[in-house]
Amino acid sequence: MRNIKLTIEYDGTDYCGWQAQNGTRARSIQRVIEQALTKVFQKKISLIGSGRTDSGVHASNQTANFKTDSHLPLTRIRSALNSYLPQDIVIKKAEQVDEDFHARFGAKSKVYRYSVLNAPVPSPFNRRYSLFAPYPLDIEKMKKAAAYLQGRHNVRSFHRARGKQKNFVRTIKKLKITRKNELIFFEIEAEGFLYHMVRIIVGTLLEVGRGRFGPGYLKEILKGKNRKLAGPTVPSRGLCLMRVKY
Amino acid sequence: MRNIKLTIEYDGTDYCGWQAQNGTRARSIQRVIEQALTKVFQKKISLIGSGRTDSGVHASNQTANFKTDSHLPLTRIRSALNSYLPQDIVIKKAEQVDEDFHARFGAKSKVYRYSVLNAPVPSPFNRRYSLFAPYPLDIEKMKKAAAYLQGRHNVRSFHRARGKQKNFVRTIKKLKITRKNELIFFEIEAEGFLYHMVRIIVGTLLEVGRGRFGPGYLKEILKGKNRKLAGPTVPSRGLCLMRVKY
């Protein structure tokens, strides 16, 4: 059996996320790609993603793998899949990997980017891919606040309860804030994320940026281990999975 | 009467263009903005655009003007219009201009940009705003060919017949080709454009870039004054009106 790794870009706007909730028939990225795989290989194939992305979240380089006994060349796999996929999902790469490669268990860390349009009026071109924030934002203060989050912490305050999560300690390897013209990017790398974690972190940093929280308040939020202390969850449309590292 | 100039950004994907064809009820950018103006000022107001953009063409800075005897402050005009407009049309600026300012007759030149995604696979994020061209493109050859088009020429070969056009001489002030990662931009500035002119010029330059035409063939196309000599018309989604100069 060959083990094939896919690198996938998608506009998540019109999907319920990478994976459909159990029992629902919603249109998920994974399901749509599995349907294309079935058409290409003429049999049912299960796709293992690096992890879920929520409803409306995008990906520049989501990764996934599947096994097949077909000898179809890799470029043909890519082009055949793309010909069956809708325009908002594209297979960027198909590569053969070691038999024991597992897109989820093998992932060492993930990089997400959240985009904020900080301008007086929204942009028709960016509306699907950014949060519109017309108020002044103090980048330096947000960077100061972000520094408190880097490293290994109990990040329970930045987590939306779902199921019976027990371990809330995560390592934030990088949290970088950059501005490019009217766009502000929050880039976050971690080994693992809690549910809604990036979106709550960004929502909290924006509260700092607009002066509602002081940068030092981040320490209190971490200490408190309580979701209510942190800022709001920003909408999914600004979030994009940039890279999965193995 | 105050004369108000609007600067407008729009995603033209879902519109029949700036202006509806006579007699049709299609959804045009102009009509949608006029409907918002009527709601804001409680009377019918005619909007004069700098010129038409075709169906599916975008604008970063389209300009238009209208007259009103209302004393509503300019920032209120902008925010009120934006609150009535759909998300794919945004008023970026509303400013009071001289009584004799006319968005169309006063325009000295216009800058259009055409975007080509030159990559092995298409991009979900750029699909509404660029032409996907997976084949190799020789930028240097396209630049050489573009140089023949700069200046004052009879550009009849780069024109789709419509109505009874008589004067085909236009001055191309600038034709710049740049690459930024996988995107190639064609920026064209002219005092006036013929119907489909930018899209036929780009279609012709792409033929040069992929080696189907030599750069020098551009001279023949100009000389021939015949649409059939030039390359194909590229799709409207890659085209964006960047600026109108007064």
Side-chain angles (χ1 to χ4, degrees):
Chain A
M1 291 286 270
R2 290 199 298 165
N3 191 5
I4 309 291
K5 178 188 174 196
L6 300 178
T7 304
I8 310 153
E9 183 168 305
Y10 50 81
D11 176 337
T13 308
D14 300 328
Y15 293 87
C16 69
W18 172 260
Q19 196 177 354
Q21 298 298 320
N22 280 340
T24 69
R25 305 285 311 151
R27 192 162 166 264
S28 78
I29 311 277
Q30 184 192 33
R31 188 169 289 166
V32 169
I33 300 175
E34 283 179 343
Q35 283 163 353
L37 284 165
T38 301
K39 281 181 192 152
V40 173
F41 296 104
Q42 298 289 316
K43 58 165 80 172
K44 201 174 146 27
I45 287 180
S46 304
L47 187 65
I48 300 163
S50 77
R52 295 180 187 182
T53 53
D54 291 342
S55 172
V57 173
H58 318 290
S60 279
N61 295 288
Q62 167 69 293
T63 53
N65 73 298
F66 66 93
K67 309 225 166 173
T68 177
D69 47 17
S70 148
H71 295 288
L72 201 63
L74 294 166
T75 52
R76 286 286 306 282
I77 291 178
R78 181 177 79 174
S79 62
L81 283 173
N82 283 334
S83 74
Y84 286 118
L85 286 169
Q87 288 197 333
D88 46 12
I89 302 179
V90 168
I91 308 299
K92 291 167 82 171
K93 212 193 277 183
E95 47 192 327
Q96 188 161 348
V97 287
D98 284 346
E99 214 183 317
D100 60 354
F101 173 86
H102 190 285
R104 181 147 61 98
F105 301 142
K108 288 255 186 329
S109 73
K110 282 180 198 165
V111 182
Y112 277 96
R113 185 170 82 173
Y114 197 91
S115 305
V116 172
L117 179 71
N118 187 220
V121 289
S123 161
F125 306 129
N126 271 313
R127 68 190 196 282
R128 293 162 77 99
Y129 311 116
S130 63
L131 168 70
F132 170 55
Y135 37 80
L137 285 168
D138 187 322
I139 302 267
E140 292 314 311
K141 277 188 186 160
M142 291 197 287
K143 285 183 178 173
K144 230 181 239 180
Y148 292 112
L149 292 174
Q150 299 217 31
R152 193 165 173 80
H153 300 286
N154 183 315
V155 286
R156 187 167 191 164
S157 297
F158 300 98
H159 150 261
R160 176 171 165 190
R162 184 176 71 165
K164 25 186 190 301
Q165 189 81 37
K166 275 174 186 167
N167 177 10
F168 301 98
V169 175
R170 293 292 183 278
T171 301
I172 298 179
K173 300 174 87 163
K174 197 170 78 174
L175 208 175
K176 214 174 111 189
I177 304 171
T178 49
R179 178 184 267 278
K180 203 184 157 193
N181 302 320
E182 295 184 319
L183 283 168
I184 298 175
F185 300 113
F186 298 79
E187 207 174 280
I188 307 190
E189 178 175 355
E191 291 166 12
F193 292 88
L194 296 170
Y195 189 46
H196 282 188
M197 178 173 147
V198 178
R199 290 162 57 190
I200 299 171
I201 286 177
V202 172
T204 305
L205 293 176
L206 288 174
E207 293 295 276
V208 173
R210 65 197 298 187
R212 290 183 176 170
F213 293 169
Y217 181 59
L218 269 284
K219 286 185 288 187
E220 309 299 317
I221 301 175
L222 282 169
K223 232 184 278 168
K225 301 183 184 64
N226 183 343
R227 168 69 186 91
K228 287 178 183 149
L229 298 172
T233 307
V234 286
S236 57
R237 66 177 175 279
L239 189 58
C240 186
L241 174 56
M242 300 301 284
R243 209 174 145 195
V244 183
K245 297 186 181 176
Y246 290 95
Chain B
M1 291 287 268
R2 290 198 299 164
N3 191 6
I4 309 291
K5 178 188 174 194
L6 300 178
T7 304
I8 310 153
E9 183 167 305
Y10 51 81
D11 176 337
T13 309
D14 299 329
Y15 294 86
C16 69
W18 172 260
Q19 196 177 354
Q21 298 298 319
N22 280 339
T24 70
R25 306 285 311 151
R27 192 161 166 265
S28 78
I29 312 278
Q30 184 192 33
R31 188 170 288 166
V32 169
I33 300 175
E34 283 180 343
Q35 284 163 353
L37 284 166
T38 300
K39 282 181 191 151
V40 172
F41 295 105
Q42 298 290 316
K43 59 165 81 172
K44 200 174 148 28
I45 286 180
S46 303
L47 187 65
I48 300 163
S50 78
R52 297 181 186 180
T53 52
D54 291 342
S55 171
V57 172
H58 318 291
S60 279
N61 295 287
Q62 167 69 294
T63 52
N65 74 297
F66 67 93
K67 310 225 168 174
T68 178
D69 48 16
S70 148
H71 295 287
L72 202 64
L74 294 166
T75 52
R76 287 285 306 283
I77 292 177
R78 181 177 79 175
S79 61
L81 283 173
N82 282 334
S83 74
Y84 285 119
L85 286 169
Q87 289 196 332
D88 48 11
I89 302 179
V90 168
I91 308 298
K92 291 168 82 172
K93 212 194 276 182
E95 47 193 327
Q96 189 161 348
V97 286
D98 285 346
E99 214 184 317
D100 59 354
F101 173 86
H102 190 284
R104 181 147 61 98
F105 301 142
K108 289 254 186 330
S109 73
K110 283 179 199 166
V111 181
Y112 278 96
R113 185 170 81 174
Y114 197 92
S115 304
V116 172
L117 180 71
N118 187 220
V121 289
S123 162
F125 305 129
N126 271 314
R127 67 189 197 281
R128 294 161 76 98
Y129 311 116
S130 62
L131 169 70
F132 170 56
Y135 37 80
L137 285 167
D138 186 324
I139 301 268
E140 292 314 312
K141 277 189 186 159
M142 290 198 287
K143 284 183 178 173
K144 231 182 236 178
Y148 292 113
L149 291 174
Q150 297 216 33
R152 194 164 172 80
H153 301 286
N154 183 314
V155 285
R156 187 167 191 166
S157 296
F158 300 98
H159 150 261
R160 176 171 164 190
R162 184 176 71 167
K164 29 186 186 302
Q165 189 81 37
K166 274 174 187 167
N167 177 9
F168 300 98
V169 176
R170 293 292 183 278
T171 301
I172 298 180
K173 300 174 87 162
K174 197 171 77 175
L175 207 176
K176 215 174 110 188
I177 304 171
T178 50
R179 176 185 268 277
K180 202 185 156 190
N181 303 321
E182 295 184 320
L183 283 168
I184 299 174
F185 300 112
F186 298 79
E187 207 174 279
I188 306 190
E189 179 175 356
E191 290 165 13
F193 292 88
L194 296 171
Y195 189 48
H196 283 187
M197 178 172 146
V198 177
R199 290 162 58 190
I200 299 170
I201 286 177
V202 172
T204 305
L205 293 175
L206 288 175
E207 294 294 277
V208 173
R210 66 197 298 187
R212 290 182 176 170
F213 293 167
Y217 180 59
L218 267 285
K219 286 185 288 188
E220 310 298 317
I221 301 176
L222 283 169
K223 233 184 277 170
K225 301 184 183 63
N226 182 343
R227 168 70 187 90
K228 288 178 183 149
L229 299 172
T233 307
V234 286
S236 57
R237 65 176 175 279
L239 190 58
C240 185
L241 174 57
M242 300 301 283
R243 209 174 146 197
V244 183
K245 297 187 181 176
Y246 290 95

